[in-house]
């Protein structure tokens, strides 16, 4: 999960126009919910083609939560950060229906993050065999929306004051709450810790979205293996440059530059699992600088 600036994509007209589908539906839903006995309203405005395209652009075709590219094999869900049709554990809450067509409340999600399904879920310290031996348990956002303060129940209530524990990557930088843990060549996501214990936002987000479900861990770990292969090639090129005569150093430095550029490209925001890749590259750069500082400084001149 990585931070995404929602301001870089304009709100879709069907939701932002004063007479658009979103505004008309909001007025209809408000009339519907005046009846305390009314059931859930059938919302449709958030499914507009311009909404789907805007979310695809905003999240670079990836899930907002796990950063997987899934649309070649399964459709994307339009996810309501604040659930539109009820809140698990909140008796009498009819959902944040007034935000059903609010652009700021919509995210792009894969099915496995958004829907409640059975998963084998890894914990830090497990190996692949231990993960595979886990019993499946249900996880996924569904209508979960845990908060740390007072709940908003109707239009006009203070949503900003709820202090949601689930990270919305367009509102809160996940990097401040989550850390990557690598063991047994597996890439696992964990909350950050301080002297007060586990970060509550990171902990609940990993738990609710099942961000360590088996299939996702396996996909991230395959990507991690490719990053490690690039890093090994880079180190080999730098070792060769360190041992080369001055007249022969340009070639290995050019190879090192290409490998370094490939590592940075893998961590670009539009790439799958970019937050994991960014953490990997930042850590690798620190280690490389400690060992090859002078050579890395010379790479630019050799390109």
């Amino acid at each position: 999960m990585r931070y995404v600036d929602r301001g870089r994509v304009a709100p879709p007209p069907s939701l932002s126009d004063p007479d658009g589908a979103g505004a008309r539906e909001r007025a209809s839903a408000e009339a519907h919910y005046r009846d305390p006995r009314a059931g859930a309203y059938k919302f449709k405005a958030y499914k507009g083609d311009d909404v789907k395209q805007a979310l695809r652009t905003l999240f670079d075709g990836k899930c907002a939560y796990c950063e997987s590219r899934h649309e070649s094999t399964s459709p994307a869900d339009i996810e309501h950060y604040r659930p539109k049709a009820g809140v698990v554990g909140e008796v009498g809450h009819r959902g944040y229906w007034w935000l059903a067509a609010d652009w700021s409340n919509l995210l792009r999600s894969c099915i496995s993050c958004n829907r409640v399904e059975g998963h084998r879920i890894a914990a830090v310290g497990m190996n692949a065999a231990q993960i595979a031996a886990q019993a499946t348990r249900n996880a996924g956002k569904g209508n979960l929306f845990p908060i740390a303060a007072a709940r908003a129940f109707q239009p006009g209530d203070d949503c900003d004051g709820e202090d949601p524990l689930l990270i919305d990557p367009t509102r809160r930088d996940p990097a401040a709450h989550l850390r990557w843990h690598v063991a047994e060549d597996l890439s696992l996501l964990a909350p950050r810790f301080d002297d007060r214990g586990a970060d509550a936002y990171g902990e609940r987000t990993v738990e609710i979205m099942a961000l360590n479900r088996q299939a996702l861990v396996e996909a991230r770990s395959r990507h991690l293996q490719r990053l490690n292969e690039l890093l090994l090639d880079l180190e080999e090129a730098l070792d060769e440059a360190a041992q080369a005569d001055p007249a022969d150093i340009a070639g290995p430095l050019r190879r090192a530059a290409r490998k370094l550029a490939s590592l940075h490209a893998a961590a670009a925001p539009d790439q799958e699992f970019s937050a994991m890749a960014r953490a990997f590259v930042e850590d690798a750069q620190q280690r490389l600088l400690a060992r090859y500082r002078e050579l890395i400084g010379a790479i630019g001149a050799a390109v």
Side-chain angles (χ1 to χ4, degrees), residues 137-161:
R137 56 188 175 93
N138 286 339
K141 181 170 180 287
N143 284 336
L144 287 167
F145 193 68
I147 58 175
R151 176 80 65 186
F153 275 77
Q154 58 189 359
D157 286 354
D158 184 14
C159 285
D160 291 337

Side-chain angles (χ1 to χ4, degrees), residues 35-292:
D35 181 353
R37 300 165 298 176
Y41 185 89
K42 300 295 185 182
F43 293 100
K44 297 179 180 178
Y46 72 93
K47 299 178 182 180
D49 287 342
D50 61 339
V51 180
K52 294 176 182 177
Q53 186 55 48
L55 286 171
R56 190 180 191 280
T57 300
L58 180 61
F59 294 104
D60 296 297
K62 299 184 293 183
C63 172
Y65 294 115
C66 72
E67 283 200 272
S68 64
R69 290 196 188 281
H70 53 83
E71 62 184 352
S72 64
T73 57
S74 62
D77 278 351
I78 297 178
E79 204 275 296
H80 289 81
Y81 177 63
R82 285 180 166 84
K84 66 184 183 301
V87 180
V88 171
E90 198 73 68
V91 177
H93 201 292
R94 306 174 87 182
Y96 297 83
W97 56 266
W98 63 98
L99 300 176
D102 190 313
W103 169 241
S104 68
N105 192 47
L106 302 180
L107 301 170
R108 192 177 197 269
S109 177
C110 69
I111 289 172
S112 294
C113 281
N114 190 37
R115 305 184 193 182
V116 178
E117 298 179 328
H119 299 285
R120 291 183 176 89
I121 299 176
V124 172
M126 286 184 180
N127 58 34
Q130 290 170 326
I131 298 171
Q134 291 287 299
T136 61
R137 56 188 175 93
N138 286 339
K141 181 170 180 287
N143 284 336
L144 287 167
F145 193 68
I147 58 175
R151 176 80 65 186
F153 275 77
Q154 58 189 359
D157 286 354
D158 184 14
C159 285
D160 291 337
E162 288 183 315
D163 193 10
L165 295 176
L166 178 66
I167 296 172
D168 172 354
T170 69
R171 290 181 168 95
R172 186 186 292 274
D173 187 355
H177 306 279
L178 300 167
R179 65 184 179 90
W180 293 97
H181 182 91
V182 178
E184 301 284 344
D185 294 325
L186 298 176
S187 175
L188 299 177
L189 193 56
R192 291 192 176 276
F193 280 79
D194 58 24
D195 54 4
R196 295 170 295 180
D199 181 280
Y201 306 99
E203 186 171 45
R204 294 307 304 276
T205 299
V206 170
E207 172 192 354
I208 290 170
M209 312 309 298
L211 294 178
N212 286 325
R213 57 187 181 267
Q214 183 183 16
L216 181 58
V217 169
E218 290 172 349
R220 286 199 308 248
S221 299
R222 288 191 295 270
H223 194 64
L224 180 65
Q225 182 179 357
R226 292 191 289 271
L227 294 174
N228 273 309
E229 290 168 355
L230 279 173
L231 179 59
L232 180 60
D233 290 344
L234 171 57
E235 290 176 325
E236 288 178 349
L238 289 171
D239 282 338
E240 185 179 342
Q243 298 169 25
D245 292 331
D248 300 324
I249 199 173
L253 281 182
R254 281 195 293 269
R255 289 200 300 276
R258 289 196 295 270
K259 299 301 180 182
L260 185 59
S262 294
L263 278 173
H264 281 289
D270 63 344
Q271 296 299 299
E272 191 171 34
F273 309 132
S274 67
M276 180 196 72
R278 181 179 61 190
F280 176 90
V281 171
E282 289 175 351
D283 179 68
Q285 281 199 155
Q286 291 303 312
R287 290 187 285 110
L288 290 173
L289 282 171
R291 184 177 175 188
Y292 305 104

